Structures are given as structure tokens and as C-alpha cells.
Amino acid sequence: MFCGSAAGAASARKGAYYAGPGNRFWPTLHQIGLTPRLLAPDEFATLPQYGLGLTDMAKHVSGSDASLPRSADDPQAIADKITRIDPDILAFVGKRAAQVFFRHHFHKTRIDYGLQHEALGATALFVLPSTSGLAVRYWDEAPWRALAALIKSI
């Protein structure tokens, strides 16, 4: 299960996850072998057939991370969803969503990319660099490849 902060402006307009120009989410999923072909953003509903899912920390707002009001974040709803669905891994796409979640549930403020020591029940927690074109200076595919290796080992 992938968890972002919220739909970006382009994604909200198109009604599809990670639809912004320059977003690397869909190409990266394919490049690291989690999808057999490059999916278009409007194909997001097909992800469960590959054992993948999508959600957001803030479901009722859209925009860049910097523009999101803290009041829109709902880390408890994410925890409830993960407890109910029980995926093997919850992967945060970008540090903002991870920081909100870890601050709320573990009182932790420093988070590095990769597999975390904490878990939510049997669900491993993983932090990935954002795929947004706005976060290009933080882009590193290595944590994404590490996630793919972990998924394939399960």
C-alpha cells in the first residue's frame, strides 16, 4: 500500500493518482518491476491486480505538500485502514506523509528513507522519496529499488 500526502493539483483535476507532469510514480513502478508495463495515471484502479494499493494522508484537500493544511491530515484514518486491510507493507511516498504518521503514532520526528524499525501490527513501514516533479532535487531511485526487493522477497 502506497500512501502520499494528498492529491496534487493535476491529479485532483484529472481524478487520478500521480497525474502531474513530471511525476515519476508510474514510470518508477514499472522500472523497478512492480508493474509489468507502464501504467497511465487513469489506470490506478488496476493496481490491486498487481498486489498494490493507494491512499493519501489528507483525502479531502489537494495541492502541493507546502500548501496542505495540517488540519487535513488524518494519520488515524491511515492506521485504521492499514489495520483493516493488513497489507505486508505501507510505503509512504515522500517524507511529509511519513512524518505526519510517525509523529502521531510513534512520537518520532526524524525519519530516513527505507525500511523503518517501527511497524503497524504485522505491516512493515517504508519511506520513499517523493516522485513529484516538485521534489526532483530529493529524487533517489535506490529506496524504490529496495522496496521492490522487499516486496519480491515476501
Side-chain angles (χ1 to χ4, degrees):
M1 176 74 70
F2 291 99
C3 179
S5 292
S11 294
R13 278 192 309 277
K14 294 179 182 179
Y17 284 87
Y18 302 102
N23 195 298
R24 293 178 174 86
F25 184 80
W26 300 106
T28 300
L29 284 188
H30 178 60
Q31 289 165 0
I32 64 174
L34 294 183
T35 59
R37 64 179 177 82
L38 175 60
L39 300 175
D42 63 354
E43 294 180 280
F44 71 89
T46 66
L47 280 182
Q49 73 188 40
Y50 307 114
L52 305 172
L54 297 167
T55 192
D56 291 309
M57 183 62 62
K59 282 295 210 185
H60 306 291
V61 297
S62 62
S64 67
D65 282 0
S67 71
L68 299 175
R70 285 182 158 246
S71 61
D73 293 325
D74 197 347
Q76 190 58 51
I78 297 298
D80 294 345
K81 181 183 288 187
I82 295 307
T83 300
R84 187 176 62 254
I85 297 170
D86 194 30
D88 292 324
I89 302 167
L90 172 60
F92 293 95
V93 181
K95 280 195 174 178
R96 183 196 176 277
Q99 288 169 332
V100 168
F101 187 86
F102 278 81
R103 190 178 313 117
H104 180 81
H105 291 286
F106 303 110
H107 307 290
K108 184 177 177 181
T109 56
R110 175 144 167 69
I111 301 161
D112 293 318
Y113 294 124
L115 183 62
Q116 303 300 301
H117 297 291
E118 298 81 6
L120 191 60
T123 301
L125 303 174
F126 206 99
V127 179
L128 298 163
S130 172
T131 56
S132 169
L134 296 174
V136 68
R137 70 178 177 262
Y138 302 108
W139 179 245
D140 180 4
E141 193 173 284
W144 283 85
R145 291 201 175 276
L147 173 65
L150 178 61
I151 289 171
K152 291 172 185 175
S153 75
I154 295 175

